[in-house]
Amino acid sequence: MHLALAAVFLFVLTAMTVAWLGTRERPRVPFWSAAWAFLLGGVAVTGFLRVLQNGALPLFNAGTIRYLDWSHLGLAVALGLVAACRRRPKPRAV
């Protein structure tokens, strides 16, 4: 399940990045959006490094793997906290 959701996550992350790069003018990025983008990138990078470690040629020692696992988990938790703290626009009355 984790691998399937990771594939969906990478697809959505790539689509968001391409859409952002496709805009002509760069709008001002609020703090929470920048934090959100940083955390999304961090989760993707640490997950990718972990996938590389699972290959035929181990790249890191055991201590580094432990740090990588905890970083991946910590970034995912931080992503949830930022999602909870972000302000949502109030729905407009119809």
Side-chain angles (χ1 to χ4, degrees):
M1 179 114 175
H2 189 223
L3 292 176
L5 290 175
V8 172
F9 172 74
L10 289 176
F11 176 77
V12 170
L13 187 63
T14 302
M16 289 170 50
T17 303
V18 168
W20 183 76
L21 290 174
T23 58
R24 294 223 178 243
E25 57 185 54
R26 300 282 183 256
R28 186 173 178 275
V29 179
F31 171 76
W32 289 114
S33 297
W36 183 260
F38 173 77
L39 291 171
L40 284 175
V43 168
V45 168
T46 55
F48 181 72
L49 290 175
R50 191 63 177 110
V51 167
L52 288 178
Q53 176 63 24
N54 288 337
L57 180 63
L59 302 173
F60 310 112
N61 62 15
T64 306
I65 292 302
R66 185 176 301 124
Y67 176 74
L68 190 62
D69 286 341
W70 281 104
S71 297
H72 189 67
L73 180 63
L75 287 167
V77 169
L79 193 61
L81 290 174
V82 168
C85 292
R86 287 176 63 177
R87 287 187 183 179
R88 305 276 186 233
K90 293 182 182 179
R92 295 186 321 185
V94 179

